[in-house]
């Protein structure tokens, strides 16, 4: 198949899922055309089956805000025509599914179906903003197929957006050959002394990730045992996190590493992953950690209970409850056998439910169904 994929090309989970999907589809013989304003971050190598088409923006002084939705629709149309695309697959409804809707209409009578994958904040935050709600609902209703990345998100989409059409769940996935336990992948000595435990947080540092809770949990853990915290990623709440760390005189123990490309290597340094988010529709980073045999300690919110089994491959704790999160983290860190057992269970869970091999087939079947309709 010849597939156009549009996503945010940044470090957010939806962009990562879309990029990994494109790479996997290309490895299975499909031609994949990414259409976005920049090259998606996880594309590191050129390949004959992976193509990138930049959305050019006209910067005319009249435009206070350049009309990206229209520029994207135009580029989708051009690429579909020039590369004979079979379909478009857009990740994150706003504004991508609106652009796809326009491109489909512009190309008529030629047929260009589009699939929309909902990732979370496009429904829970942005889609619920009254100003965006009608157009989000419209573009979802108009899509040729719609998928959500968890049962939770499917339910919320039906309830809160009052969407009538079928939405099917295709869960997020991880490349279990890339994200795997690998001795030596991470140079642990660079970050911690042998007697220190390593905690990792990895996100886009948006308020929803609750960076202050990460620092609070670590502060409580550090009072009990020698430990280091690796803060991977960047975003608006990095500043408050750094300020808290300075105030608590923890600068030797908390390392802000910024955006990193080889996160699988860094995850291999971790004894525990902290994910105290306010809401997560799936929590891709918890799955990536689990595939590396690292147990996550997460909030019991959104789609996370569909990924993490409480007390088996990690722990689920009420959001904001930093005391319990610290206690659960210490339970793992002070009991090496429990840590090993949970890590093994986490890896097993990733292997049995969420490896790319099986999930990509679900997308392929969906594309075939859409094309045969
Ligand atoms: O979490 C974010 O801020 C980024 C956001 C995105 O759209 O890139 O993540 C959402 O999609 C991820 C991939 O499907 C999910 O793993 C995240 O749980 C989801 N984030 C939220 O629901 C807050």
């Amino acid at each position: 198949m010849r597939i156009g994929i549009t996503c945010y090309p940044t470090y957010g989970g939806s962009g990562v899922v879309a990029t990994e999907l494109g790479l996997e589809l290309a490895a299975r013989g499909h031609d994949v055309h990414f259409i976005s304003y920049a090259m998606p971050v996880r594309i590191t190598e050129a390949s004959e089956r992976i193509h990138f088409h930049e959305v050019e923006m006209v910067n005319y002084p009249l435009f206070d805000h350049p009309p990206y939705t229209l520029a994207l629709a135009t580029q989708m149309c051009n690429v579909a025509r020039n590369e004979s695309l079979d379909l478009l697959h857009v990740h994150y409804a706003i504004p991508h599914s609106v652009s796809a809707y326009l491109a489909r209409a512009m190309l008529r009578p030629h047929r260009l179906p589009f699939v929309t994958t909902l990732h979370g904040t496009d429904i829970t935050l942005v889609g619920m903003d009254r100003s965006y709600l009608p157009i989000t609902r419209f573009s979802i209703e108009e899509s040729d197929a719609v998928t959500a990345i968890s049962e939770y998100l499917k339910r919320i989409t039906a309830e809160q957006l009052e969407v009538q059409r079928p939405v099917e769940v295709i869960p997020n996935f991880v490349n279990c050959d890339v994200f795997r336990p690998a001795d030596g992948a991470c140079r642990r000595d660079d970050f911690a002394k042998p007697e220190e435990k390593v905690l990792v947080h990895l996100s886009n540092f948006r308020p929803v990730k609750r960076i202050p809770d990460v620092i609070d949990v670590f502060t409580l853990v550090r009072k009990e045992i020698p430990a280091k915290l690796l803060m991977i990623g960047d975003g608006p709440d990095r500043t408050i996190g750094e300020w808290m760390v300075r105030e608590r005189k923890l600068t030797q123990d908390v390392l802000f590493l910024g955006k990193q490309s080889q996160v699988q290597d860094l995850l291999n340094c971790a004894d525990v992953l902290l994910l105290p988010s306010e809401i997560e529709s799936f929590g891709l980073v918890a799955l990536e950690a689990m595939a590396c045999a690292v147990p996550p300690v997460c909030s019991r919110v959104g789609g996370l209970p569909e990924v993490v089994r409480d007390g088996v491959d990690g722990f689920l704790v009420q959001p904001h409850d930093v005391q319990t999160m610290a206690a659960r983290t210490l339970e793992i860190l002070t009991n090496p056998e429990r840590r090993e057992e949970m890590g093994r269970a986490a890896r097993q869970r990733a292997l049995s439910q969420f490896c790319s091999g099986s999930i990509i087939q679900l997308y392929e079947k969906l594309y075939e169904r859409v094309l045969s309709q």
Side-chain angles (χ1 to χ4, degrees):
M1 277 176 264
R2 302 170 74 82
I3 304 156
I5 293 184
T6 288
C7 62
Y8 285 105
T10 52
Y11 282 87
S14 60
V16 169
V17 169
T19 309
E20 296 288 347
L21 172 63
L23 294 173
E24 298 278 352
L25 287 167
R28 293 165 77 95
H30 302 285
D31 267 318
V32 176
H33 294 261
F34 285 97
I35 308 168
S36 189
Y37 61 83
M39 179 80 102
V41 283
R42 281 210 187 168
I43 297 185
T44 47
E45 284 169 31
S47 130
E48 57 174 349
R49 295 202 177 281
I50 299 273
H51 313 265
F52 171 63
H53 306 268
E54 188 169 336
V55 178
E56 299 285 349
M57 299 288 292
V58 178
N59 204 1
Y60 186 65
L62 183 66
F63 299 151
D64 242 1
H65 307 287
Y68 180 67
T69 309
L70 305 185
L72 176 59
T74 308
Q75 185 64 314
M76 284 170 162
C77 211
N78 290 340
V79 176
R81 228 184 245 126
N82 298 340
E83 306 291 343
S84 310
L85 293 187
D86 294 307
L87 56 82
L88 290 171
H89 186 175
V90 300
H91 292 258
Y92 211 89
I94 302 169
H96 302 150
S97 56
V98 177
S99 301
Y101 169 81
L102 292 173
R104 186 182 67 182
M106 286 158 76
L107 283 166
R108 270 184 199 130
H110 179 82
R111 185 164 180 259
L112 181 70
F114 74 94
V115 175
T116 299
T117 290
L118 308 173
H119 282 270
T121 42
D122 44 357
I123 299 302
T124 53
L125 296 180
V126 190
M128 291 314 296
D129 181 324
R130 302 316 290 180
S131 56
Y132 285 119
L133 194 144
I135 199 156
T136 307
R137 184 192 291 138
F138 172 78
S139 62
I140 289 172
E141 295 280 12
E142 283 293 327
S143 304
D144 293 274
V146 179
T147 74
I149 45 90
S150 63
E151 294 290 342
Y152 157 80
L153 188 58
K154 173 180 169 167
R155 197 177 64 246
I156 290 294
T157 306
E159 282 171 13
Q160 300 189 2
L161 233 63
E162 292 172 7
V163 165
Q164 307 292 327
R165 57 155 311 130
V167 172
E168 70 186 84
V169 175
I170 300 187
N172 282 342
F173 57 88
V174 63
N175 184 327
C176 295
D177 298 327
V178 174
F179 287 80
R180 66 189 173 91
D183 282 343
C186 178
R187 291 198 309 269
R188 204 185 149 102
D189 302 351
D190 286 355
F191 305 112
K193 299 191 188 94
E195 68 278 14
E196 289 173 325
K197 299 294 180 190
V198 177
L199 294 80
V200 165
H201 172 78
L202 165 56
S203 77
N204 51 24
F205 288 52
R206 298 228 172 94
V208 75
K209 304 295 174 184
R210 297 199 60 86
I211 297 301
D213 287 4
V214 178
I215 306 298
D216 281 345
V217 171
F218 180 74
T219 307
L220 293 166
V221 168
R222 182 67 192 85
K223 278 187 185 143
E224 303 299 324
I225 58 169
K228 286 273 159 67
L229 170 63
L230 307 186
M231 297 290 282
I232 306 169
D234 211 331
D237 280 1
R238 176 171 173 167
T239 317
I240 182 155
E242 287 179 325
W243 176 81
M244 288 174 74
V245 166
R246 276 197 305 276
E247 285 291 297
R248 293 174 189 190
K249 310 215 177 330
L250 286 171
T251 44
Q252 296 297 316
D253 295 329
V254 182
L255 310 175
F256 286 84
L257 303 182
K259 290 178 182 168
Q260 296 286 328
S261 49
Q262 300 299 311
V263 291
Q264 65 274 21
D265 293 347
L266 288 165
L267 283 171
N268 264 292
C269 267
D271 294 301
V272 152
L273 176 95
L274 295 180
L275 190 64
S277 308
E278 185 83 46
I279 185 66
E280 280 303 338
S281 298
F282 185 90
L284 183 64
V285 67
L287 175 60
E288 291 180 335
M290 287 164 68
C292 294
V294 176
V297 175
C298 313
S299 309
R300 187 182 283 107
V301 289
L304 273 167
E306 296 171 45
V307 184
V308 181
R309 293 168 301 177
D310 186 30
V312 180
D313 12 67
F315 282 114
L316 295 169
V317 177
Q318 283 308 102
H320 308 195
D321 184 356
V322 290
Q323 297 286 343
T324 309
M325 256 180 219
R328 293 286 181 252
T329 305
L330 281 163
E331 199 175 320
I332 298 173
L333 295 179
T334 56
N335 186 340
E337 276 172 25
R338 185 105 166 96
R339 159 71 183 83
E340 280 304 301
E341 194 189 322
M342 281 193 141
R344 260 198 310 274
R347 169 77 184 161
Q348 211 42 51
R349 172 115 175 116
L351 283 173
S352 65
Q353 302 291 314
F354 299 109
C355 282
S356 28
S358 50
I359 306 294
I360 303 305
Q361 286 179 34
L362 301 178
Y363 279 115
E364 285 177 319
K365 285 201 184 104
L366 174 72
Y367 297 159
E368 280 160 16
R369 211 174 64 224
V370 164
L371 289 174
S372 69
Q373 271 161 12

